[in-house]
Amino acid sequence: MNKGKCDISGWLVRRASWHAWAVLVAVLGACAAHTVRVTSDGGMDNAIVVRAARTWLTGGSPYADPHFLYLPSAVLAAAPQALLPVAALRLLVPVTVTAFLAGGWACALRLHGVPLRSRLAVLGPAALCAGFAPFGHLVLLGNWTVTAALALPAALLLAGRGRWVAAGAVLGAAVALKPLLAPMALLFVLARRPGALAAMLLVPAAASGAAALLMPDPAGFVTRTLPFLLRGDDSFVRLYEASPGAVLPRLGVPAVLAASLALAAAAAGVGAACLRWRRGEPGPLRLTETAAGLMLSAFLVSRPSYDHYLLVVMPPLLAGLPYAGSVARRPWFWLALVPQLPGVSWPYLEPQTRRAARDCATLSVLALTVARHNGAGRTRKGPGGVVAPRREQGSGTSRVPWRAGRVYRAR
């Protein structure tokens, strides 16, 4: 990481003033407060999970609702919310979602060795909240994708410090709540970490198995939810899906061709992620870009796939901005985010039900950018450790070289 004055990263990693922190608190607070005002239950998506938990507490099957797409363990996790009054959920859910997103950003910063008091620490969440529409959508909906947005950078941070089994357990706990991070199992296969892979698989299996025994319909996830996900024929869900397989048919592309294109792009993205892991040296960029490649490839073919899924990969990628070799330094990384600028009206895409085309464009371009970056033929060397800022000696211009701090132990 270059912390000199000749590079933008030098400015980004310096300490932010209290004025900047005040702006961040105001922006995040306004986003949460807006959700409190316009929702009656803390968010439509969180309400689906809470309603399923209430159904279970009254003796019914949570899978009677076709829009409940979670494992049985999520029902138990939502049970405490089901016991709270709606007025409390209206306040607590937006605040909790915002706090989870901030926690994920903090983990992403520490993964890349960026100080938590730096300007980047302030600018990152402020820019995502004010300039990236999926951030506001996630807070407004209260979707449990936020658990993955916290778990992925936390797991990568643990893996970067050599605690692979703990990383697997964190990902497994996130999968038990929402199986969005299941593709991360391939990262442990690439890293040859069977213990971490076992932890990731056993945690949700044990949690869901135990929870299923308490359900009146223990096989509901298999008999009802999985067929729903595989068919993807829900008219309401399809309007907001961002995967090419869902959007291209609405533009006149045959469904078989659209699915084939999405599958081919996903396969290319996985292949590029494997190359990135094999050719790169241990470091945060290797972990981040490999994980992002795997997740974006899954989003291209998953049904459903929503715009707020991008919040899972954006913080780890954006936190790598101080490194010259990161994908966040590529122009197409930023161009992919242009369709998500709030307040911009795009011709023919003004209706809310047509925004899936914009989401698909962002997802596709971002996935292609990360895949091209990962599949580059040259070997990019990642940073070997967390470096401390250089210190000036006296009033002159001479400076002592940076000194390496904690050795990066990812292998």
Side-chain angles (χ1 to χ4, degrees):
M1 184 193 304
N2 186 356
K3 297 190 178 182
K5 294 183 178 180
C6 61
D7 190 85
I8 183 62
S9 60
W11 184 85
L12 288 174
V13 299
R14 296 193 194 105
R15 186 167 182 170
S17 66
W18 71 267
H19 311 84
W21 285 104
V23 170
L24 175 61
V25 172
V27 170
L28 295 182
C31 183
H34 171 73
T35 301
V36 173
R37 290 188 60 194
V38 301
T39 63
S40 59
D41 50 11
M44 179 178 66
D45 289 357
N46 183 71
I48 293 175
V49 189
V50 175
R51 187 165 58 247
R54 289 191 179 123
T55 301
W56 170 67
L57 289 174
T58 57
S61 172
Y63 293 102
D65 184 354
H67 293 131
F68 178 70
L69 307 177
Y70 301 84
L71 293 170
S73 50
V75 178
L76 296 184
Q81 289 192 61
L83 301 176
L84 294 175
V86 175
L89 294 178
R90 181 181 180 182
L91 174 63
L92 292 177
V93 173
V95 173
T96 302
V97 171
T98 304
F100 273 39
L101 290 171
W105 174 248
C107 292
L109 291 174
R110 297 312 304 143
L111 168 66
H112 292 283
V114 178
L116 293 180
R117 296 183 178 181
S118 64
R119 290 166 176 161
L120 181 59
V122 176
L123 290 176
L128 289 174
C129 182
F132 191 58
F135 189 103
H137 296 164
L138 183 57
V139 178
L140 182 64
L141 294 171
N143 192 281
W144 282 30
T145 295
V146 72
T147 59
L150 172 61
L152 180 61
L156 295 179
L157 175 61
L158 290 169
R161 295 180 174 180
R163 301 174 61 184
W164 285 90
V165 175
V170 168
L171 292 177
V175 170
L177 297 177
K178 183 172 184 176
L180 188 64
L181 294 179
M184 286 299 297
L186 185 55
L187 177 66
F188 297 136
V189 175
L190 293 174
R192 298 180 181 179
R193 299 286 176 171
L197 179 61
M200 181 179 177
L201 297 178
L202 290 176
V203 169
S208 295
L213 296 177
L214 304 176
M215 306 285 167
D217 183 13
F221 182 82
V222 177
T223 60
R224 299 186 184 187
T225 301
L226 284 183
F228 175 86
L229 293 174
L230 294 176
R231 289 195 308 266
D233 57 359
D234 184 85
S235 58
F236 175 77
V237 170
R238 192 186 303 115
L239 293 176
Y240 300 95
E241 285 190 83
S243 62
V247 174
L248 292 180
R250 296 174 62 187
L251 303 178
V253 178
V256 176
L257 178 59
S260 300
L261 291 174
L263 184 60
V270 172
C274 294
L275 287 176
R276 178 66 180 95
W277 182 265
R278 292 171 182 171
R279 293 174 176 175
E281 291 189 356
L285 290 184
R286 184 194 190 198
L287 280 168
T288 298
E289 292 166 1
T290 302
L294 295 175
M295 292 306 305
L296 289 171
S297 299
F299 296 159
L300 288 173
V301 294
S302 64
R303 304 291 300 271
S305 181
Y306 301 120
D307 64 333
H308 51 75
Y309 286 6
L310 296 174
L311 265 300
V312 176
V313 299
M314 279 300 298
L317 292 176
L318 190 59
L321 184 62
Y323 295 107
S326 68
V327 69
R329 292 292 187 97
R330 289 183 173 261
W332 281 102
F333 175 86
W334 298 99
L335 291 175
L337 309 183
V338 171
Q340 301 301 328
L341 290 174
V344 178
S345 297
W346 301 92
Y348 307 105
L349 299 178
E350 293 89 350
Q352 184 68 18
T353 54
R354 295 184 182 179
R355 70 159 293 114
R358 295 189 296 172
D359 303 334
C360 180
T362 296
L363 171 60
S364 301
V365 176
L366 187 61
L368 177 61
T369 301
V370 173
R372 290 189 60 186
H373 182 81
N374 286 343
R378 66 185 183 280
T379 300
R380 294 180 302 278
K381 294 184 177 181
V386 179
V387 292
R390 52 179 160 188
R391 302 176 182 176
E392 297 188 7
Q393 293 178 333
S395 59
T397 58
S398 61
R399 296 174 176 85
V400 297
W402 303 340
R403 290 178 291 182
R406 182 179 59 252
V407 176
Y408 203 88
R409 294 182 292 172
R411 291 293 184 267

